[in-house]
Amino acid sequence: MLVNADFHIHSCFSSASSKDMLIKNMAPKAKLKGLQLLGTGDAFHPGWLDIIEESTTYLGDGIYESNGMDFVLTTEVEGKHRIHHVIIIPNIEIARELSDRLVSKNKLVDGRPRTNYSGAELLELVREYDCLIGPAHAFTPWTGMYKSYDSIYDCYEKKVDFVELGLSADTFMADRVSELKDFPFLTNSDAHSPWPHRLGREFNALEMEDISFSSIKYAIKHNKIKANYGLVPNLGKYHMTACIKCYKLIDPLVAKENKMKCGCGGRVKKGVDYRISEIADYAEPKHPDFRPKYVHLMPLAELISTVYDKGVTTKTVQGIWQKLVDSFGTEIDVLINSPICEIMNIDSKIAPAIESFRKGTINVIPGGGGKYGQILFDETPEPKKEAKPITLDDF
């Protein structure tokens, strides 16, 4: 069976997360998105584990069910050098024991615990309990593994189970790095709210015997990931090198020459695109034989928001989103599978936008510095000058 899974999300206990990130809200939204399996996130937080137990039915072999959605225990941990790691956990008993053993001052407060454990130490700890582990959003400039290391083995010393690409990268970028040819890639949403443009914005299609921890482990370790679905990378908020204050895109070499300072006085953050170019061994990607297809996605609500020039969480946008999903089953079906002529019958303004998305003719002002990229259609005005990378003449 083919299972759509999003393993990396956060609960209401994580900083900057919505108070609505509860099992009762995640489950129905994940189903409407087109997912069959969702990570719980924050599984080292005792209070969140209590809520999981109260809100779900345990089906066995690591799977907890609520409202027709299956959950597996997952967490993100911030380790040494502020590097983030994703861990997939066999069951609640193991999650509680690992939480007790993890040395962390904030694990009772924040869903994402901080610790001084190195990647290698975390790997050894969780491997004792048959967990799966890999770097979260591996290339991002604040907390990605490659922001501190030039090699994954410098971080973990041994081979980890997977590499999470993050919203600002895709397979075509990551497969320019030769050492990653032996690693499966995961694409997850890192959602902090259950809104449909966040939850499941990236996910994986896995071939599994059944929905269980054992099948998840087998699928990841034996190249049964059949597709990665993820944002067009330049929509990611760290795709390009940019100022974190004014969000101007800046040529990385210019940024280095100016000691990573913008003309506005703000700090410049190196983009994922440039970081990969620094560690890449190949000018073009070299995909290993087992690498599955990568399907680019754009959140349907953001397409609707752009077309109607309304906020993504407004009643107008959410109402149209709901109407389309009610008509075709899931957001994934609307974006990828449903005939354009049938979408036209529902909304004549949205159909051309989805067709443009499928053809890859949508333009995007790239994201950077913590600001997401902006979707543009042919009729949309040209981007403002601040979206153009700064050169030495601007200083």
Side-chain angles (χ1 to χ4, degrees), residues 17 23 79 97 112 119 143 157 168 173 190 204 236 257 283 309 311 329 343 360 381:
S17 278
I23 297 293
E97 189 167 342
R112 184 199 295 116
T143 55
E157 297 180 6
S168 296
M173 297 169 67
D190 197 1
N204 314 272
E257 189 164 331
D309 195 23
I343 298 174

Side-chain angles (χ1 to χ4, degrees), residues 13 45-56 92 96:
F13 289 98
H45 191 286
W48 182 232
L49 289 175
D50 290 342
I51 290 175
I52 293 170
E53 286 191 304
E54 294 164 3
S55 306
T56 65
I92 280 183
R96 290 194 188 278

Side-chain angles (χ1 to χ4, degrees), residues 74-88:
T74 61
T75 192
E76 182 182 33
V77 175
E78 182 176 299
K80 189 176 181 180
H81 303 311
R82 292 195 63 205
I83 293 172
H84 288 191
H85 312 266
V86 174
I87 302 168
I88 307 175

Side-chain angles (χ1 to χ4, degrees), residues 9-23 26 40-55 74-76 96 106-114 191-194:
I9 68 168
H10 290 278
S11 76
C12 58
F13 289 98
S14 276
S15 59
S17 278
S18 167
K19 66 182 186 304
D20 295 322
M21 282 301 272
L22 297 165
I23 297 293
M26 298 174 187
T40 62
D42 299 354
F44 285 168
H45 191 286
W48 182 232
L49 289 175
D50 290 342
I51 290 175
I52 293 170
E53 286 191 304
E54 294 164 3
S55 306
T74 61
T75 192
E76 182 182 33
R96 290 194 188 278
N106 76 323
K107 66 184 174 185
L108 300 180
V109 179
D110 196 337
R112 184 199 295 116
R114 294 190 303 273
H192 287 64
S193 83

Side-chain angles (χ1 to χ4, degrees), residues 3 85-86 96 142 146 160 175 190 207 212 304 358 361:
V3 176
H85 312 266
V86 174
R96 290 194 188 278
W142 290 105
Y146 277 113
V160 291
D175 271 336
D190 197 1
E207 184 181 300
S212 65
I304 299 168
R358 291 182 186 179
T361 57

Side-chain angles (χ1 to χ4, degrees), residues 15-292:
S15 59
S17 278
S18 167
K19 66 182 186 304
D20 295 322
M21 282 301 272
L22 297 165
I23 297 293
K24 66 180 181 180
N25 298 323
M26 298 174 187
K29 292 298 185 184
K31 287 171 63 179
L32 290 174
K33 196 78 176 188
L35 303 175
Q36 291 85 44
L37 177 63
L38 196 62
T40 62
D42 299 354
F44 285 168
H45 191 286
W48 182 232
L49 289 175
D50 290 342
I51 290 175
I52 293 170
E53 286 191 304
E54 294 164 3
S55 306
T56 65
T57 300
Y58 185 50
L59 302 182
D61 200 356
I63 301 301
Y64 300 79
E65 185 272 337
S66 175
N67 193 30
M69 176 56 54
D70 291 331
F71 290 83
V72 63
L73 294 168
T74 61
T75 192
E76 182 182 33
V77 175
E78 182 176 299
K80 189 176 181 180
H81 303 311
R82 292 195 63 205
I83 293 172
H84 288 191
H85 312 266
V86 174
I87 302 168
I88 307 175
I89 307 162
N91 56 55
I92 280 183
E93 291 72 30
I94 287 175
R96 290 194 188 278
E97 189 167 342
L98 278 169
S99 178
D100 288 341
R101 288 186 60 182
L102 185 72
V103 179
S104 171
K105 293 181 179 180
N106 76 323
K107 66 184 174 185
L108 300 180
V109 179
D110 196 337
R112 184 199 295 116
R114 294 190 303 273
T115 179
N116 288 323
Y117 285 32
S118 67
E121 289 169 329
L122 273 173
L123 184 150
E124 290 301 320
L125 174 64
V126 303
R127 282 274 174 87
E128 291 180 35
Y129 295 87
D130 199 32
C131 299
L132 302 169
I133 185 171
H137 37 74
F139 306 100
T140 52
W142 290 105
T143 55
M145 179 267 300
Y146 277 113
K147 63 99 178 178
S148 295
Y149 296 99
D150 289 337
S151 170
I152 193 169
Y153 294 102
D154 291 339
C155 179
Y156 293 102
E157 297 180 6
K158 297 177 182 178
K159 186 180 178 183
V160 291
D161 300 298
F162 57 82
V163 172
E164 184 186 72
L165 298 182
L167 305 182
S168 296
D170 62 12
T171 299
F172 306 99
M173 297 169 67
D175 271 336
R176 292 178 57 206
V177 182
S178 63
E179 72 170 3
L180 296 181
K181 67 182 183 300
D182 298 323
F183 291 86
F185 292 157
L186 290 185
T187 40
N188 301 308
S189 70
D190 197 1
H192 287 64
S193 83
W195 285 103
H197 62 290
R198 295 289 186 248
L199 194 65
R201 59 187 166 181
E202 297 206 349
F203 66 93
N204 314 272
L206 289 78
E207 184 181 300
M208 297 165 59
E209 287 290 325
D210 55 19
I211 298 183
S212 65
F213 179 82
S214 300
S215 289
I216 295 167
K217 181 179 178 181
Y218 186 87
I220 290 175
K221 286 183 170 290
H222 293 84
N223 301 324
K224 298 298 182 180
I225 301 172
K226 295 302 179 181
N228 293 111
Y229 292 81
L231 288 184
V232 177
N234 53 8
L235 280 174
K237 60 183 180 180
Y238 296 112
H239 182 70
M240 298 291 283
T241 300
C243 175
I244 66 173
K245 182 179 178 181
C246 70
Y247 304 117
K248 289 181 180 178
L249 305 184
I250 300 176
D251 184 294
L253 299 180
V254 173
K256 281 186 175 182
E257 189 164 331
N258 288 279
K259 299 180 180 180
M260 305 305 282
K261 288 289 185 180
C262 178
C264 76
R267 184 180 177 188
V268 177
K269 268 297 176 181
K270 186 185 296 182
V272 168
D273 179 69
Y274 184 67
R275 180 58 182 142
I276 288 178
S277 74
E278 288 183 317
I279 59 175
D281 307 282
Y282 312 127
E284 299 294 332
K286 292 186 179 181
H287 303 301
D289 292 339
F290 71 86
R291 186 75 70 220

